[in-house]
Amino acid sequence: MDLSHTAIRDHTAFLERLRLVPDQPGVYLWKDANGRLLYVGKSKRLRDRMRSYFGSPRSLSGKTRRLVSHIADFDIIVTQSELEALLLEMNLIKQHRPSYNILLKDDKTYPYIKVTVNEDWPRVFATRQVLNDGARYFGPYASPGSVYQALEVLNRLFAFRPPYECKDDKFNRHRKLGKPCLYYQMRRCLGPCVPGLVTKEAYRQAIDAVCRFLEGKSDQIVRELRAQMEQAAEQLEFERAAYLRDRIQAIEKISERQQVLRTVDTDQDVIAFAREEGSAVVQVLFIRGGKLINAEPFTLQGTEGESDEALLTSFLTQFYQDAPNIPPNLLLADHVEEPMIIASWLQQKSGHRVEITVPRRGEKRQLVELAANNARQKLREIREQWLNSEQRAVAALSELRDLLELPALPHRIECYDVSNIQGQHSVASMVVFERGSPRPAHYRRFKIKTVSGANDVASLHEVIGRRFRRAAEALGETQTVTGMVADDDNKTSETGNTDQQALESWADLPDLLLVDGGQAQVAAASAALRDLGFTQIPVVGVAKGPDRNRFDLIRLDCEPLVLARDSKALALIQRIDEEAHRFAITYHRKLRSKATLRSSLEDIPGIGPKRKRALLKAFGSLDAVRQASIDELAAVPGMTRKAAEELKSLL
């Protein structure tokens, strides 16, 4: 085996460890010299699969050669079967999202439609979490926009509680008033908030109709509505009959837009893809009861050098890992790796037999071609959008480079902003843009620890010092980190990164550092960098006019650079600065809200620290606690009904 193209230091020890790897099913994890996870793979014969990476580099794809060049260590986990190895691999990829695995882009954030059938007055709304809570979930959808559009249509058809305009506090308020809101008058809500307007049975029928519509069973709904319309007409309830007629026509109009198949009446997902230069889009057609009820495109990353089989296999395992509904038939554009194992896993997950087929002719093949055409169209759109945004970003960064006389384009830009109200709950944000685009996974937030009062300059000096002490530690330039580094430096509210991933990201240094402020802020940031030996990083302040209509660039001991109104650099600087302000103020409000709740609960007898934390976690704000019912308060872990009654009376 050839280890000369790797980052392995002790070849002899590595080969000995590799020799001891068993030829059994399991999962292997390649790591770099810093222990960072590079790739997760599975095999039914671990040793043979792992040894295959160290043959002739010419036999490897470009992506695999790059992976091998970073390999310095490995871990293995032996499993009892190939199915166990598949499940473990999926969980590890989802948890760590290694950079060399094929990844479903933003797989944690795909939205679903949730129907809370487990509640007395069910709600229908968008969510990004699928929980085992008795509710029903439909999706996933590729974008929030498609979910909101679907919810808008559903609400007009079935008049359930408006998903965003009727939160529990508003629902309870109108229940106490005994008067419905405007949505009832608009026939956009059946009025479950007011007793007597609609029975639970009638409202439940509307919710059941929503679920059946999402399942593609619109024909059943039309038949039931038509029977209700005829009954209303016989009873001379002409206004209700006209309302039902309009609903029937609306449902039929939507159903006409759904492609009706001639012979296939089973539930199935049709999956095809398009790929180009490392980019890939997978199109899924959701067919229920012979009707195409939805079509969603999903983007994959890390597909360069991978086979079509590997691409489809990775998509299937990641897409259906959290999917609430799996149909009995999957039509694919190409074969997948180990189809029997994947089918067994899908059957185990769904509770019914799942058949995976690759049709070559007939109507099913036409469906696959339809999905492939949609995937190609979406890939073209993404490519054009990327080219347009890339051209704008390069133009803005080039202009910024020339204005600031930088040696090269500022690939990575970090911007810092401090937020407080009269010195209370002082916080700072760090946002990161790379190639002109935000990178939320690298955002950081800081609580100010050593500065009292509203001193933005001193706060900024503290934050820059903490950030670049982390960088020095990550780069191996120092062995310890002072007590100024707080635990919250590793956290971000934008992503679900682990602490290990957060620590590793501190090593990425900016090509340009922006601070919100003028000469004083620039001097403070420059001093903090100079103390830690990072003098090569340019620091620029962003000064705004009284109406935020100017974004001047401030450099130490230099005249301000006034950006022209039509400057591409102005648009980029404005976007970065406002993102830093948004991230800082969001964190500040969160801390202030928690502090308000804690302080308001301090003097209430019977509410100790544990109960305060539980109430804060459950409701989030004092207003929400006030509006909660006694039953809701009593349901909080650690609370009793007596304590809930006392709390309600005191608030």
Side-chain angles (χ1 to χ4, degrees):
M1 288 187 294
D2 184 4
L3 302 183
S4 60
H5 301 285
T6 69
I8 300 167
R9 295 178 180 176
D10 189 337
H11 290 190
T12 303
F14 186 90
L15 288 173
E16 179 61 22
R17 284 188 63 204
L18 198 59
R19 186 182 66 81
L20 297 175
V21 173
D23 262 352
Q24 296 177 14
V27 171
Y28 58 93
L29 302 88
W30 293 128
K31 298 182 177 182
D32 66 10
N34 296 319
R36 180 168 48 192
L37 187 59
L38 298 171
Y39 181 82
V40 175
K42 70 177 186 309
S43 177
K44 60 183 177 182
R45 299 174 63 89
L46 275 175
R47 187 197 307 156
D48 289 349
R49 180 71 185 97
M50 294 173 69
R51 288 168 62 93
S52 69
Y53 284 85
F54 306 110
S56 171
R58 296 180 180 179
S59 64
L60 304 175
S61 68
K63 176 184 174 182
T64 306
R65 283 199 298 271
R66 289 194 299 274
L67 165 63
V68 171
S69 70
H70 290 95
I71 290 177
D73 196 6
F74 69 86
D75 284 329
I76 62 167
I77 304 173
V78 178
T79 60
Q80 295 294 323
S81 66
E82 295 176 63
L83 178 57
E84 286 185 16
L86 172 68
L87 296 174
L88 180 58
E89 180 196 39
M90 288 189 302
N91 289 328
L92 289 172
I93 290 174
K94 181 176 181 180
Q95 179 183 354
H96 298 288
R97 295 183 65 79
S99 55
Y100 283 91
N101 280 97
I102 300 175
L103 299 174
L104 186 58
K105 190 175 181 182
D106 299 330
D107 69 323
K108 296 180 181 178
T109 62
Y110 285 125
Y112 295 80
I113 291 178
K114 180 176 181 178
V115 184
T116 58
V117 294
N118 52 320
E119 296 179 349
D120 288 340
W121 299 102
R123 296 167 295 148
V124 184
F125 56 92
T127 183
R128 295 179 183 272
Q129 287 186 315
V130 177
L131 306 174
N132 187 18
D133 57 359
R136 294 199 61 185
Y137 295 86
F138 299 89
Y141 292 81
S143 68
S146 56
V147 176
Y148 300 145
Q149 184 179 8
L151 288 173
E152 175 74 12
V153 172
L154 289 169
N155 180 246
R156 290 183 180 276
L157 290 176
F158 303 109
F160 51 82
R161 289 172 56 180
Y164 303 105
E165 296 81 2
C166 187
K167 300 293 178 62
D168 285 343
D169 55 348
K170 182 178 179 180
F171 183 89
N172 294 329
R173 185 167 64 250
H174 281 277
R175 177 168 284 271
K176 292 177 182 178
L177 292 173
K179 181 181 178 182
C181 69
L182 183 61
Y183 281 90
Y184 177 76
Q185 307 297 333
M186 297 167 58
R187 293 187 178 273
R188 293 285 300 278
C189 182
L190 296 173
C193 58
V194 178
L197 288 183
V198 62
T199 64
K200 283 189 177 181
E201 292 73 17
Y203 187 78
R204 180 70 63 173
Q205 288 177 2
I207 294 297
D208 290 342
V210 170
C211 295
R212 281 183 289 165
F213 187 85
L214 290 170
E215 292 170 344
K217 300 175 181 177
S218 56
D219 292 343
Q220 295 179 9
I221 301 171
V222 169
R223 285 197 298 269
E224 292 176 4
L225 291 178
R226 200 178 299 280
Q228 294 175 23
M229 180 185 69
E230 292 171 355
Q231 182 181 5
E234 290 175 0
Q235 296 174 355
L236 305 183
E237 297 176 0
F238 298 117
E239 185 177 352
R240 174 169 170 73
Y243 170 65
L244 292 170
R245 178 203 62 203
D246 293 342
R247 287 179 61 188
I248 291 170
Q249 291 176 351
I251 294 173
E252 288 178 337
K253 186 175 182 180
I254 293 173
S255 298
E256 287 174 2
R257 293 200 296 265
Q258 297 172 334
Q259 178 180 342
V260 181
L261 307 180
R262 296 189 300 274
T263 58
V264 180
D265 57 359
T266 59
D267 295 347
Q268 53 191 338
D269 288 350
V270 183
I271 302 172
F273 62 91
R275 59 190 305 183
E276 177 184 321
E277 297 179 2
S279 299
V281 172
V282 179
Q283 181 76 39
V284 183
L285 306 182
F286 301 92
I287 297 174
R288 301 294 181 265
K291 292 184 179 179
L292 177 60
I293 65 168
N294 195 19
E296 293 288 338
F298 298 90
T299 305
L300 289 174
Q301 58 190 38
T303 60
E304 180 188 355
E306 300 285 356
S307 67
D308 291 347
E309 290 184 354
L311 185 153
L312 265 182
T313 302
S314 295
F315 176 78
L316 286 184
T317 53
Q318 294 180 64
F319 180 76
Y320 288 110
Q321 187 174 13
D322 295 320
N325 303 301
I326 302 175
N329 294 281
L330 303 183
L331 305 184
L332 307 184
D334 208 329
H335 294 283
V336 294
E337 299 170 342
E338 302 169 334
M340 298 301 293
I341 296 176
I342 293 178
S344 176
W345 165 63
L346 291 172
Q347 179 174 337
Q348 176 181 307
K349 182 174 174 58
S350 63
H352 58 74
R353 185 171 181 269
V354 177
E355 183 179 358
I356 300 176
T357 57
V358 183
R360 296 303 182 190
R361 62 179 65 86
E363 187 179 67
K364 292 183 178 181
R365 184 61 192 177
Q366 292 175 8
L367 286 172
V368 171
E369 289 296 335
L370 176 63
N373 289 336
N374 278 272
R376 285 190 286 270
Q377 175 61 30
K378 185 63 180 179
L379 186 61
R380 281 195 293 270
E381 292 176 7
I382 292 174
R383 184 69 177 168
E384 290 175 2
Q385 291 172 0
W386 180 84
L387 288 173
N388 291 336
S389 61
E390 183 78 1
Q391 290 168 354
R392 288 195 297 269
V394 169
L397 293 173
S398 299
E399 186 176 334
L400 204 56
R401 175 199 60 196
D402 296 340
L403 284 169
L404 299 175
E405 299 177 349
L406 302 176
L409 290 180
H411 168 75
R412 178 183 171 103
I413 301 175
E414 293 181 4
C415 184
Y416 296 80
D417 190 19
V418 176
S419 178
N420 63 72
I421 294 181
Q422 297 179 345
Q424 297 296 312
H425 310 300
S426 189
V427 300
S429 69
M430 163 187 145
V431 301
V432 178
F433 276 60
E434 291 183 352
R435 291 193 177 93
S437 298
R439 291 292 178 265
H442 293 184
Y443 287 11
R444 295 292 177 267
R445 59 193 188 186
F446 304 81
K447 289 181 185 177
I448 304 304
K449 301 293 186 181
T450 64
V451 179
S452 300
N455 190 334
D456 288 358
V457 174
S459 298
L460 189 62
H461 184 275
E462 175 195 323
V463 167
I464 299 296
R466 283 162 57 179
R467 185 266 184 266
F468 286 94
R469 282 189 182 87
R470 287 284 191 185
E473 181 190 43
L475 293 168
E477 296 177 12
T478 182
Q479 298 299 317
T480 60
V481 182
T482 72
M484 288 178 62
V485 179
D487 290 339
D488 59 310
D489 292 358
N490 282 332
K491 300 176 183 176
T492 169
S493 64
E494 302 274 326
T495 66
N497 275 3
T498 64
D499 287 344
Q500 180 62 31
Q501 290 171 316
L503 282 169
E504 293 166 354
S505 69
W506 291 110
D508 295 328
L509 298 179
D511 303 305
L512 175 63
L513 193 150
L514 300 178
V515 295
D516 187 74
Q519 284 280 354
Q521 283 80 1
V522 173
S526 299
L529 290 173
R530 186 170 56 252
D531 292 343
L532 293 166
F534 291 100
T535 55
Q536 78 279 14
I537 300 174
V539 181
V540 175
V542 181
K544 297 175 285 293
D547 299 322
R548 299 181 68 88
N549 57 349
R550 287 178 55 184
F551 283 76
D552 299 343
L553 303 184
I554 310 298
R555 294 175 295 175
L556 201 60
D557 302 325
C558 294
E559 290 295 319
L561 289 172
V562 181
L563 297 176
R565 290 287 186 129
D566 59 350
S567 165
K568 294 180 176 63
L570 171 62
L572 178 61
I573 290 293
Q574 182 176 3
R575 185 183 177 198
I576 296 173
D577 183 75
E578 290 181 349
E579 177 69 352
H581 178 72
R582 178 200 68 80
F583 195 49
I585 200 69
T586 300
Y587 187 40
H588 171 73
R589 287 170 179 165
K590 181 179 179 180
L591 293 182
R592 189 176 62 191
S593 175
K594 287 183 178 180
T596 301
L597 179 58
R598 288 195 183 96
S599 61
S600 300
L601 296 175
E602 286 289 340
D603 300 326
I604 297 178
I607 306 298
K610 289 185 178 179
R611 284 179 172 172
K612 280 185 285 188
R613 285 195 296 270
L615 289 166
L616 175 63
K617 183 178 180 180
F619 298 102
S621 70
L622 184 61
D623 286 340
V625 174
R626 285 197 183 100
Q627 292 166 5
S629 66
I630 292 176
D631 290 338
E632 290 171 331
L633 293 172
V636 173
M639 290 289 290
T640 63
R641 187 164 187 86
K642 181 179 179 181
E645 291 173 349
E646 292 178 357
L647 175 61
K648 189 70 174 176
S649 63
L650 290 170
L651 288 176

